[in-house]
Amino acid sequence: MKPREISSYAAGQWIAPAAGARVIASAVTGAPIALAGNDGLDVQAMLGHARETGGPALRGFTFHDRARMLKALAQRLAEHKQALYDLSFDTGATQSDHLIDIDGGIGTLFVFASKGRRDLPDAHVCLDGPIEQLSRNGTFLGQHIRTPLQGAAIHINAFNFPVWGMLEKLAPAVLAGVPAIVKPATSTCYVTELAVRIILESGILPDGALQLVSGGMGDMLDHLDGQDIVSFTGSAQTARKLRLTPAIVENTVRFTAEQDSLNASILGPDAVSGTPEFDVFIDEIIREMTTKAGQKCTAIRRVIAPQGQFDAVISAVSGRLAKITVGNPRHQETEMGALVSSEQKADVLSKAALIGQDAERVFGDPDAFSVAGAEAGKGAFLPPMLFHCADPDTANHVHQTEAFGPVATVMGYRDLDHAIALANRGQGSLVTSLITHDTDVAQHVVSGIAAFNGRLYINDRDAIAEATGHGAPLPHMVHGGPGRAGGGEEMGGVRGVHHYMQRTALQGSPRMVQAVSGTWVPGTPEVTATSHPFTQKFGALTIGETLHSPARTITLDDIEHFAEFTGDRFYAHMDDDAAARNPFFPGRVAHGYLLISFAAGLFVEPNEGPVLANTGLDGLRFMKPVSAGDSIRVRLTVKQKTRRTDDYGEVRWHVSLLDQDGDKVAEYDLLTMNAY
Ligand code: NAP
């Protein structure tokens, strides 16, 4: 069969492979299946298209508009996932591997879509932290803001997750408003190309928001500037080379790297054979060794168990591995497919040989294993291989050599500090897991290893049923690790979006800061409401519009009635002498909840109108006690508006309760849903 031609998508055009193209072989049969690469790719035109067309178009939308695009993309990809599955088998991946790569990638888009609408404003600028008071009279303020970078995001991905790898980087970039040029690893780029075609054909993204390099990217990195960002996933060796590209160094181009790491899993001293924790420890090791044939950046490479337990661990893991069917990933009974290529297989074997200098292979013989439904000699098959390192203190390779395949090494520890020292010999990992039911063990180990890890995963009998797995990076949580793991950070909800934005310290008068931030700033000239703001629809409300309520005097009867009615008979409201002994009160005082209830009575407009529901209060603070005889009044200000659907939006009102002297007694933000 003629190999598929895998194209690039550059400056609005599909560019077929030409001079310099590489042949890609099936991981399963070794037969050539695809051709990708074109030395003539106009990489400067691609950068120009991203910067001049994609970026401005994306920045024309709000965060919420872009979040809606991500959701639509996720739905579109979900409709076509069978086609992606069909193609992915040739990478050596099984159907359960596809669930991680393809379904996991789509799930990541959905999470960013919902986080974008929940955690970011429906605006073009995102605020970072509260207003800073920089002057005595409040006429000069500070506010940190974030805005999207105005260059291109260059996403260079590893071969192992051709779909998830693209989407976990694309989602935060698009949400931030930055166009992406995606360069998948050549060996699996045919799957990424199909995903990109599905995305582009949907017409959901604006022109220039997404381009694709299939094959080499020529000298693109030599043309980057300080508004561009490179996000790399792959080997430490390539990362080192790329981050030293002169243009990247000289123009201080942001460069984030996710690279190989020697992740560990530690079995707690309490989690001995026979406990539920021991069983889950074994389950996690088996899953990490066999999923994607061990080609997972987060896979467990080092199994660190108490010295009295490592025999039991080796025996349990070996027993389970003996039952794993290695074979043709298209066959349902196959539990572990092939490595991505014969080159990758050779690389894993050479790394396993290095590990073999420090450790003894106790399971899996690469020269004698069976392969179901495929010819072992043609595909890139390997058996899972387990090593035992008897002296992990003097060994180096087991802590430093990543065999990116189904390979793990068991080592024993004397005590927890020894376990910590061994784990940290990885010199920075994406993830370490700790399997224990003992909270003291968890506290001790976490304080010893957290600085060396991007993620810590603790599993025990309470979490087993719902724990997501040692190796699963989640879009809500940061992914990346220090040192050896590359020093980068991705995802983590909106934290991942912030990497594509510049944080700027904005300083100016309240009126200026409000105009830029789109959020009410105290100290701006007051906009007096001409009618009750609760009678106005969402669109008619102006930021800063303020209503002043009449005053209400609080009586002792009110306090006693409230105490009886609610049952809140706390002494500060009921007993004058006891209250006076308390350093905060002059004597009996009104309940804080009474005050906010009266506040509602003072500002609410009772008739049916555009306010649909009160959805909550944020940041409630009681600042000055109120005694019987004092009066309160309310200042209600429109602080921020967020469109939620075509029918309604959320209004954030700033509420101040003031006493007869004009002092603030309480302050909070009130949230309501208002009809459009
Ligand atoms: P790799 O050889 O370093 O390649 C990674 C990417 O860099 C590929 O897209 C590759 O493209 C590209 N590349 C290589 N040389 C380049 C150059 N001169 N200019 C521009 N791009 C270049 O790594 P891999 O073999 O694909 O992936 C396996 C490694 O990735 C393992 O070490 C694994 O631990 C690590 N990994 C880390 C993570 C993580 O999140 N931390 C995730 C997955 C994998 P070509 O394919 O065209 O050469």
Side-chain angles (χ1 to χ4, degrees):
M1 211 171 69
K2 198 166 163 275
R4 292 165 67 106
E5 294 206 334
I6 307 304
S7 299
S8 294
Y9 186 73
Q13 298 210 337
W14 285 101
I15 311 287
R22 266 172 54 189
V23 175
I24 304 165
S26 162
V28 185
T29 63
I33 52 166
L35 190 66
N38 183 335
D39 288 345
L41 200 61
D42 188 346
V43 293
Q44 294 208 58
M46 292 180 81
L47 286 171
H49 191 56
R51 292 168 182 153
E52 284 140 37
T53 304
L58 279 173
R59 295 197 298 275
F61 295 100
T62 66
F63 292 105
H64 286 206
D65 294 332
R66 296 191 293 260
R68 279 185 274 270
M69 286 176 194
L70 294 183
K71 184 169 178 189
L73 287 181
Q75 286 164 335
R76 181 60 68 108
L77 284 164
E79 287 162 16
H80 291 84
K81 64 185 180 185
Q82 188 58 49
L84 292 164
Y85 294 160
D86 292 344
L87 210 51
S88 278
F89 286 115
D90 267 315
T91 68
T94 62
Q95 181 61 35
S96 36
D97 295 335
H98 300 342
L99 295 182
I100 301 173
D101 184 33
I102 296 161
D103 294 71
I106 293 169
T108 299
L109 282 183
F110 275 122
V111 171
F112 273 100
S114 90
K115 287 233 158 254
R117 295 189 59 207
R118 204 169 328 127
D119 300 344
L120 289 167
D122 188 19
H124 298 90
V125 170
C126 153
L127 305 187
D128 179 329
I131 296 271
E132 298 291 343
Q133 295 293 337
L134 303 178
S135 64
R136 185 185 297 252
N137 297 320
T139 59
F140 187 69
L141 303 172
Q143 168 72 64
H144 290 95
I145 60 168
R146 290 182 194 266
T147 55
L149 291 176
Q150 297 190 10
I154 316 299
H155 291 166
I156 303 175
N157 293 324
F159 67 78
N160 54 345
F161 289 115
V163 177
W164 177 84
M166 168 176 71
L167 297 179
E168 60 104 9
K169 288 185 166 81
L170 183 65
V174 166
L175 199 46
V178 178
I181 298 176
V182 174
K183 189 250 174 290
T186 305
S187 52
T188 55
C189 69
Y190 48 97
V191 185
T192 313
E193 190 229 34
L194 177 59
V196 169
R197 280 187 188 274
I198 294 167
I199 290 174
L200 292 174
E201 280 164 16
S202 74
I204 292 164
L205 290 180
D207 191 21
L210 173 62
Q211 299 178 79
L212 173 73
V213 176
S214 298
M217 65 193 320
D219 63 355
M220 186 183 288
L221 301 186
D222 294 335
H223 303 283
L224 301 186
D225 67 35
Q227 287 296 308
D228 300 318
I229 171 167
V230 179
S231 179
F232 170 85
T233 299
S235 63
Q237 202 182 358
T238 312
R240 193 178 314 117
K241 179 168 145 197
L242 300 188
R243 69 161 90 233
L244 294 176
T245 306
I248 291 181
V249 176
E250 280 155 27
N251 299 329
T252 338
V253 177
R254 293 184 194 196
F255 187 97
T256 170
E258 299 296 329
Q259 58 198 44
D260 48 42
S261 79
L262 277 294
N263 312 295
S265 184
I266 303 173
L267 182 67
D270 57 301
V272 295
S273 178
T275 61
E277 283 73 29
F278 184 88
D279 295 342
V280 79
F281 184 70
I282 304 299
D283 287 347
E284 298 266 9
I285 296 166
I286 301 299
R287 185 165 52 206
E288 294 304 314
M289 287 184 74
T290 56
T291 303
K292 292 288 300 187
Q295 301 165 114
K296 239 170 49 168
C297 54
T298 48
I300 298 169
R301 304 291 173 207
R302 297 175 301 145
V303 177
I304 304 179
Q307 275 178 350
Q309 291 295 315
F310 71 78
D311 275 346
V313 169
I314 290 172
S315 143
V317 173
S318 302
R320 292 276 299 277
L321 289 177
K323 295 192 189 124
I324 295 288
T325 305
V326 178
N328 188 331
R330 286 192 169 83
H331 293 190
Q332 265 188 355
E333 64 278 13
T334 295
E335 291 161 288
M336 186 174 112
L339 278 82
V340 73
S341 62
S342 52
E343 293 81 12
Q344 184 62 22
K345 174 177 166 176
D347 186 66
V348 170
L349 284 173
S350 71
K351 304 277 175 53
L354 290 176
I355 291 169
Q357 294 176 10
D358 287 344
E360 178 196 0
R361 182 155 45 77
V362 290
F363 183 89
D365 182 350
D367 298 319
F369 67 104
S370 52
V371 175
E375 285 185 53
K378 293 198 171 159
F381 295 99
L382 274 180
M385 287 178 271
L386 188 70
F387 287 81
H388 169 230
C389 178
D391 185 2
D393 293 323
T394 56
N396 284 320
H397 287 301
V398 295
H399 301 295
Q400 287 169 20
T401 302
E402 182 206 41
F404 199 58
V407 181
T409 304
V410 181
M411 55 194 82
Y413 70 80
R414 294 183 293 277
D415 53 30
L416 276 185
D417 287 333
H418 188 212
I420 290 168
L422 290 177
N424 291 347
R425 293 233 7 232
Q427 295 171 11
S429 294
L430 293 170
V431 52
T432 293
S433 52
L434 170 65
I435 312 299
T436 181
H437 191 51
D438 184 331
T439 51
D440 290 342
V441 170
Q443 284 174 347
H444 190 76
V445 173
V446 168
S447 64
I449 66 173
F452 287 75
N453 284 275
R455 179 162 64 89
L456 295 179
Y457 171 90
I458 305 176
N459 201 354
D460 72 346
R461 67 194 70 181
D462 297 340
I464 288 171
E466 294 192 308
T468 44
H470 161 107
L474 299 174
H476 322 69
M477 308 297 286
V478 292
H479 172 58
R484 163 93 201 212
E489 192 185 279
E490 292 180 334
M491 301 201 294
V494 291
R495 294 174 190 83
V497 181
H498 291 163
H499 297 311
Y500 293 91
M501 306 182 84
Q502 175 63 40
R503 177 168 38 206
T504 305
L506 176 71
Q507 295 168 287
S509 70
R511 201 169 66 91
M512 291 299 165
V513 173
Q514 175 170 305
V516 174
S517 67
T519 298
W520 173 72
V521 173
T524 42
E526 192 169 296
V527 184
T528 309
T530 46
S531 57
H532 194 296
F534 276 26
T535 62
Q536 295 175 46
K537 291 200 165 184
F538 182 87
L541 288 168
T542 319
I543 298 295
E545 190 172 340
T546 299
L547 174 86
H548 291 274
S549 81
R552 171 174 187 151
T553 302
I554 314 291
T555 66
L556 202 55
D557 272 357
D558 290 333
I559 297 173
E560 291 194 338
H561 178 69
F562 191 78
E564 292 310 322
F565 182 48
T566 62
D568 178 352
R569 300 179 54 82
F570 186 60
Y571 68 89
H573 313 307
M574 309 308 291
D575 180 336
D576 214 30
D577 292 339
R581 284 194 292 275
N582 178 312
F584 294 103
F585 302 121
R588 283 179 81 174
V589 293
H591 305 66
Y593 298 124
L594 170 63
L595 300 178
I596 57 172
S597 301
F598 277 164
L602 289 170
F603 67 69
V604 156
E605 154 63 39
N607 296 320
E608 183 177 4
V611 176
L612 305 174
N614 170 351
T615 55
L617 301 182
D618 271 356
L620 173 61
R621 285 285 173 280
F622 296 115
M623 297 141 114
K624 186 180 171 190
V626 172
S627 309
D630 290 343
S631 72
I632 57 161
R633 62 191 169 86
V634 178
R635 192 171 64 203
L636 178 77
T637 304
V638 179
K639 183 172 181 181
Q640 197 182 44
K641 300 197 307 177
T642 307
R643 188 165 51 112
R644 289 290 176 208
T645 69
D646 288 344
D647 299 326
Y648 55 84
E650 181 187 84
V651 182
R652 178 176 286 270
W653 310 81
H654 188 73
V655 185
S656 296
L657 269 63
L658 309 167
D659 66 10
Q660 61 282 355
D661 302 322
D663 292 340
K664 277 187 197 161
V665 299
E667 201 166 41
Y668 54 95
D669 281 359
L670 164 74
L671 302 170
T672 61
M673 282 300 171
N674 283 41
Y676 229 71

